[in-house]
Amino acid sequence: MLSRSETIAMVKRGARGAGYSWGMAEEIAQACATLCAHGINAQPVLAQYLQAVDGHVDALAMQSWPLNQERVCPFHLGCFIAESGFSDDHHQFNGVQSPVFLLPYVQRMATVQGRNLHISGAGMAVDVGADYIAGDISMDAQGQVMITADEYTLTPPSTSPCYPAQYCDVMDRLGQKTMVPDSDESRANGAGD
Amino acid sequence: MTARDEIPLRDADQVMRLSRMGSFHQSRLSFMRILLRRMRNENWQFDAPDWHVNENGVGRAVYTVHGPSRAYSLVAFAHDLPDEMRSDRVIATAWDTTFTLFDGIPTDDDIARLAQNVPLQEAGRISVRELTLSRANRSARLWDFVVANLSAGRQPDPESLKTVGYVMRTTAVYGSGKFGAADHGTIQDRPEFAAPFQAEMLTVYLIRCFVMDLLDHNAKCAGGKRAVKLSPKLRRALGIGNSTGLGMAPFLVNHPTLLHQWIAARETALARVRGIKTVTDGERDVMIHHAKSAHINAMNWHSQHPMQIAKVTELQSDMVMLCKEITRIGDAPYPWDRLYRWAAQNLTSEGLEQVVSILMEPYGDVVDDLADAMSIDESAHFYIDGTQAMGHVKSLIAKHFDWALKTDFGAGDEQARFWYVSAAKLEPRLGERDAEQGHELEQPLAIGRDVAALYRAITQDETVAHFLRKHPEHRHILRRVQMVEKFPYAEIRDNLLHAQMMPIDMLRCKLSFFGATHFDPRSDRWLRICMFQNAPFPDELYVPGNWVYPEPTGAI
C-alpha cells in the first residue's frame, strides 16, 4: 500500500510524463486520490489510460463546446463540467474515455449543487453525492455517459480508503520522463546536492 | 488580555521578497516553540528510555512520551558507521543513527519490523503506525572531543561546543506519508498535530534527548568509573544540527496557502503588538531581556559564508543599537509601533526581522493563539472557480504580480536558471539554462514567468472554464492566481529563475518557522542550522526561562 501523499506525487509525475500540462497533472492526481479515498482502485485503468495517451494527450482534449468529437479525455471533460457551474438536470456526453475518472468531478458538481447526481451509461450506474460514490462502476468502458439529477437509490458501500501500489512501475516509468538525467554540465555546476 | 488597537498588516510586496524572507528568525510562533508550549501546558510525561545500546554504542532505544490522550515513541537505532561512509548527502546509504516516531508504544513485533526497515531509510518501508522517518550523523570532530573529555572525567570546553552548537545533525526528517508513513490528513484532527510539522518537531526533540544519553553512554563505556555525564548547562547549550539543501526549497512554492498561513500569523502577531498602546515596566524589562538574548545569540552565530558573515556582523551591530533604543523608547503611546518604525528606518533586514520576533516575546497572551491558524486544509482551496471572468483574473494579476509583469523574462539573467528533478537522485535541483540540458523538463516553479505568460494569453473576457478548456497549459498558474486573491502571502514575489537568486533564502524562511537558529550557508543552495539549542529538556520544561537564545547575565 502507498500513502495518499505518495499516490498523489506518483500520479502527478506519471500524468505529466504522459504529456499533460502541470495543472492537468495536478487534477489527475487529485482525481485518482479521490477515487482511492472511496475505496475505488482505478490505478490499473489509469496506468492503462496514461500509457495509451502517452505523447498525444492533446488529441483527446476538448476541441469545442458543445462537444463534437469522437473521443474525449475524462479529465479535461471532468474539469470543464465541474468548473462551469452547470446546474442543468441532464447532461449527455459521447466518446468519453475511461468514464470512471468523471466520478470525482461529478462529485464536485454534486457538492456544489448540494444534491445527488446519477451517472449512467458506459456500463455504469452510479449515485454520487458530496460524501459517497455508490453503484456499479465499470473500469474499462467508454462511450456515452449521462449525468442526471436524481434521488439516490443505491446504497453506498462501506469501504475504506485504499491506495494500492499496483502499477507503480508504469507510473514511475512515465514519471521518469519528467526528470533530468545527470550530465557533465550539471555535475560541474554542482546541481545542488 | 492586553488592550490594543488595529494596525494594518505589512504589505505582501514588502514581506514576500526573497531577501526579506531570507532574514527571518525564529519566534514564539515557530513550530518547535509551539510544541514546547503544548508539552508544558498539557504536562506531557516522559518515560525513562527503554535502553538497549551495547558497549560499542550500537543498539536501540525507545523514548515514550505521554500526552493527554495519546502516547508517542521515538524508536532510535544506533549503528557502527565507518568514518568513510559518513555523508550528509541524500545519496548516503548508512548513518550513525536512524529513527522513527511510532504512534503509540511499540510492541516487540513492531520493534522487530522497524529494525528491519528504519536503518535502511528510503530503501526500507514504514507503515501507517509511524509518523516520521529520520537519520542523523555525528559531527565527527566534536562528538569524539566531547566523549573523550567526558570519559576522562572532565567537562568539554564550552567555547568549543558553542562554535558548532550540536554533536549530531539530522540529514532528513521525513513525515506526511513519505515511505509509507501515516498521511498528515489521518492525524491532523489530533490537537497535538494541529500546528504544522509537530510530529517532525517531536521527533527532533526526542532525538536530542537520545543523542545526549548516547554521549553519556559512550563516555561511560570508554572511561568506566572515571567518566562523568555532560553537565546540564552544556546539555542545554547543545541542539541538533541539520543539513538542508535544495530539496526543501520548492516546498514553499508547492504549498502556497500553507505559506500564507504562516506569514499571515507572523504578520498578525506583529500588528497586534504594534497596536498595544501602553506598556508596563515589566513588559519593557522582558523586551530588553529578549533583545539582550538575541544580541548574545548574534555574537555566538558563526558562519563560513561571506554573505552570512556580513549579515551576522550587521545583525550584531543592529542588536547593540536596538538594546539602546528600547531603553529610550519612552512612555508615549504605542511604544512598540514606534520601535518597529525606528527599526525599519535604521536597521538592516536581518535586524528588522529580528525585532519582529523579539516584539512577540513578552506577549504570549496576545500572539500565541495565532499558532492555531498556521495550518490549512490545502485541498479545500485546490479547486478552480471556472465561473470567474478572465477579466477579473487579469486584474488579480495586475494587482498581485505587478513585479512579474515588469520583468523581462527574455533577458539573460531573468531566466538564467531552471528547476528540475534529478533522475538519479529524485531530488529537486537548480540548473543553468544555457549550460545544462533538460530545461524542457522544468518543474512548475517559474511562477513569475508563467503568470506573465498567462496575462499575455488573456485576449477576451470569457469564463475561466472556457479559457482553460482551450489553454490547459495555463491551469497550474491560474489556480495560483485565484488563490492569491484570498491568500496574499501565498506567493514569493521574486523571480525564482534569476541568475542571482539565492535558494538559501527560501530555506531560511522555512527553517525559521521551524524554529531553527544559527543559519550557516555552505553555498547559495545548502546550509546547516541548529534546532532546539537552549531548549529545555523534559525535566526543565516547567522552569521559567528563555527557550531558544542564551540567557543574558542577570537574567530576569
Side-chain angles (χ1 to χ4, degrees):
Chain A
M1 292 287 284
L2 301 179
S3 66
R4 178 183 168 87
S5 63
E6 286 176 312
T7 299
I8 288 176
M10 180 185 69
V11 173
K12 181 178 165 184
R13 279 197 302 269
R16 175 64 178 169
Y20 281 98
S21 70
W22 278 114
M24 283 305 301
E26 290 166 350
E27 297 283 353
I28 293 167
Q30 198 69 31
C32 184
T34 299
L35 291 174
C36 289
H38 287 280
I40 301 168
N41 179 8
Q43 277 216 31
V45 68
L46 179 61
Q48 193 179 3
Y49 179 80
L50 291 178
Q51 280 184 301
V53 301
D54 183 12
H56 50 91
V57 297
D58 290 347
L60 295 182
M62 294 174 67
Q63 310 299 328
S64 62
W65 182 258
L67 272 182
N68 182 23
Q69 59 196 85
E70 288 187 4
R71 299 191 306 149
V72 67
C73 164
F75 301 107
H76 280 287
L77 177 61
C79 285
F80 183 75
I81 62 175
E83 292 166 359
S84 290
F86 293 139
S87 56
D88 316 38
D89 287 346
H90 183 272
H91 299 276
Q92 181 173 315
F93 307 109
N94 296 323
V96 182
Q97 307 299 293
S98 301
V100 62
F101 295 117
L102 278 186
L103 292 173
Y105 303 98
V106 175
Q107 184 168 54
R108 275 164 58 190
M109 293 172 71
T111 304
V112 170
Q113 295 175 16
R115 59 180 178 172
N116 180 74
L117 295 175
H118 183 77
I119 179 165
S120 60
M124 296 209 295
V126 185
D127 277 332
V128 181
D131 54 3
Y132 59 85
I133 296 176
D136 296 327
I137 299 168
S138 170
M139 291 291 172
D140 55 1
Q142 58 187 45
Q144 188 180 73
V145 172
M146 281 174 292
I147 301 169
T148 51
D150 287 330
E151 293 299 311
Y152 74 86
T153 58
L154 303 168
T155 307
S158 55
T159 53
S160 301
C162 173
Y163 300 91
Q166 290 170 284
Y167 297 89
C168 286
D169 53 337
V170 174
M171 293 293 183
D172 286 344
R173 200 160 55 242
L174 289 166
Q176 277 286 321
K177 293 164 66 172
T178 68
M179 300 176 194
V180 179
D182 278 358
S183 64
D184 291 343
E185 291 82 6
S186 69
R187 280 187 285 270
N189 284 330
D193 53 347
Chain B
M1 176 67 87
T2 308
R4 58 180 195 269
D5 292 324
E6 197 80 15
I7 295 273
L9 305 192
R10 295 192 295 180
D11 196 276
D13 278 332
Q14 179 189 359
V15 178
M16 300 307 292
R17 305 299 306 271
L18 275 178
S19 60
R20 179 61 63 97
M21 297 166 75
S23 298
F24 283 4
H25 298 260
Q26 68 77 35
S27 75
R28 292 191 73 96
L29 295 176
S30 296
F31 308 145
M32 288 182 210
R33 295 183 64 179
I34 294 171
L35 173 70
L36 290 170
R37 279 201 297 274
R38 177 176 291 278
M39 292 195 299
R40 180 195 61 191
N41 295 344
E42 295 181 347
N43 192 26
W44 287 27
Q45 298 297 308
F46 295 77
D47 290 351
D50 182 19
W51 189 263
H52 301 275
V53 180
N54 69 18
E55 66 279 9
N56 297 316
V58 176
R60 65 174 165 79
V62 178
Y63 285 68
T64 298
V65 56
H66 300 267
S69 11
R70 290 183 185 81
Y72 301 98
S73 301
L74 180 81
V75 183
F77 297 93
H79 309 288
D80 180 18
L81 183 71
D83 285 346
E84 64 274 16
M85 289 186 72
R86 187 171 293 115
S87 168
D88 287 357
R89 295 177 64 183
V90 75
I91 56 173
T93 56
W95 302 268
D96 285 313
T97 53
T98 54
F99 309 93
T100 188
L101 185 67
F102 185 85
D103 188 1
I105 302 172
T107 64
D108 288 346
D109 286 347
D110 291 321
I111 298 280
R113 172 176 59 83
L114 295 171
Q116 294 296 314
N117 287 280
V118 172
L120 303 178
Q121 295 285 292
E122 290 94 332
R125 193 76 184 156
I126 53 175
S127 76
V128 293
R129 296 299 311 276
E130 287 79 56
L131 306 181
T132 63
L133 181 69
S134 182
R135 68 289 189 105
N137 282 335
R138 296 171 186 172
S139 173
R141 183 178 56 81
L142 202 56
W143 179 274
D144 291 344
F145 168 77
V146 174
V147 169
N149 274 279
L150 296 177
S151 63
R154 60 177 178 266
Q155 295 296 323
D157 169 30
E159 290 303 313
S160 302
L161 299 189
K162 202 186 292 178
T163 309
V164 179
Y166 55 82
V167 291
M168 202 175 273
R169 58 176 169 264
T170 59
T171 63
V173 183
Y174 296 115
S176 298
K178 296 267 175 51
F179 309 108
D183 277 304
H184 182 62
T186 63
I187 58 169
Q188 66 185 4
D189 291 342
R190 303 180 189 182
E192 59 269 32
F193 296 134
F197 288 99
Q198 293 298 281
E200 290 84 348
M201 295 301 110
L202 178 58
T203 301
V204 177
Y205 183 75
L206 293 173
I207 287 175
R208 179 173 177 246
C209 296
F210 168 74
V211 167
M212 295 304 141
D213 289 346
L214 189 63
L215 261 184
D216 287 342
H217 173 87
N218 283 12
K220 182 80 189 293
C221 292
K225 287 183 180 173
R226 200 172 43 157
V228 294
K229 290 187 171 184
L230 190 63
S231 73
K233 190 174 178 185
L234 290 181
R235 277 167 67 101
R236 181 98 178 224
L238 288 176
I240 290 292
N242 176 263
S243 275
T244 300
L246 277 183
M248 184 181 272
F251 181 92
L252 295 182
V253 186
N254 289 332
H255 297 274
T257 54
L258 188 63
L259 175 62
H260 169 91
Q261 296 302 101
W262 297 1
I263 304 284
R266 188 170 179 274
E267 293 304 313
T268 304
L270 172 63
R272 285 181 180 180
V273 175
R274 288 175 64 190
I276 295 170
K277 192 169 182 179
T278 56
V279 302
T280 64
D281 288 344
E283 288 165 346
R284 199 189 309 259
D285 287 345
V286 174
M287 196 70 85
I288 292 169
H289 173 80
H290 282 281
K292 286 179 178 172
S293 279
H295 185 203
I296 296 169
N297 180 65
M299 298 306 292
N300 290 344
W301 188 338
H302 300 281
S303 176
Q304 298 173 7
H305 196 281
M307 180 205 73
Q308 192 61 33
I309 291 170
K311 288 183 79 172
V312 170
T313 304
E314 290 171 347
L315 178 65
Q316 292 167 350
S317 167
D318 285 347
M319 290 301 99
V320 172
M321 292 164 64
L322 174 71
C323 289
K324 285 182 187 164
E325 187 64 21
I326 295 177
T327 61
R328 289 199 295 248
I329 203 68
D331 293 328
Y334 305 107
W336 306 136
D337 180 53
R338 287 187 285 110
L339 183 70
Y340 173 80
R341 285 189 279 115
W342 168 84
Q345 290 290 320
N346 293 283
L347 304 186
T348 62
S349 280
E350 189 84 42
L352 177 61
E353 294 309 313
Q354 178 69 85
V355 168
V356 171
S357 294
I358 292 170
L359 283 173
M360 297 180 209
E361 289 295 344
Y363 293 108
D365 62 330
V366 173
V367 305
D368 287 353
D369 66 303
L370 292 165
D372 298 338
M374 296 180 82
S375 289
I376 193 168
D377 177 5
E378 293 176 290
S379 64
H381 305 281
F382 172 80
Y383 298 114
I384 286 175
D385 177 4
T387 63
Q388 201 170 66
M390 287 305 291
H392 184 63
V393 172
K394 202 162 187 176
S395 67
L396 286 177
I397 295 174
K399 179 179 177 186
H400 295 284
F401 294 92
D402 181 51
W403 65 270
L405 298 181
K406 287 177 178 163
T407 303
D408 177 7
F409 288 98
D413 276 1
E414 301 291 356
Q415 217 184 162
R417 267 100 168 259
F418 68 102
W419 292 86
Y420 67 92
V421 172
S422 158
K425 294 160 193 164
L426 308 179
E427 280 279 309
R429 293 285 181 263
L430 192 58
E432 302 296 326
R433 194 174 299 272
D434 287 342
E436 296 177 40
Q437 298 169 349
H439 64 82
E440 69 281 4
L441 298 175
E442 189 166 9
Q443 292 287 302
L445 301 177
I447 306 305
R449 184 198 64 193
D450 292 356
V451 164
L454 169 63
Y455 189 84
R456 289 193 302 272
I458 302 172
T459 56
Q460 55 179 310
D461 199 9
E462 56 195 333
T463 65
V464 164
H466 279 281
F467 176 84
L468 288 178
R469 178 181 66 75
K470 293 180 284 188
H471 301 289
E473 69 276 16
H474 293 298
R475 174 172 284 273
H476 74 285
I477 204 69
L478 205 151
R479 193 190 317 280
R480 301 184 76 101
V481 172
Q482 288 193 334
M483 281 177 186
V484 85
E485 184 171 22
K486 283 187 192 165
F487 303 100
Y489 297 116
E491 295 290 356
I492 298 169
R493 301 193 177 202
D494 257 320
N495 180 9
L496 303 181
L497 309 181
H498 195 278
Q500 307 306 321
M501 185 268 302
M502 299 282 279
I504 49 172
D505 288 335
M506 299 158 81
L507 307 183
R508 165 87 178 256
C509 172
K510 185 181 178 193
L511 291 164
S512 73
F513 277 102
F514 281 15
T517 54
H518 291 266
F519 301 94
D520 182 11
R522 297 307 175 103
S523 78
D524 67 342
R525 52 192 78 184
W526 76 280
L527 51 70
R528 286 184 177 157
I529 54 154
C530 202
M531 301 171 75
F532 286 112
Q533 189 178 26
N534 300 307
F537 282 90
D539 61 338
E540 301 167 325
L541 273 170
Y542 307 98
V543 180
N546 197 328
W547 282 354
V548 183
Y549 295 150
E551 293 286 353
T553 309
I556 296 167

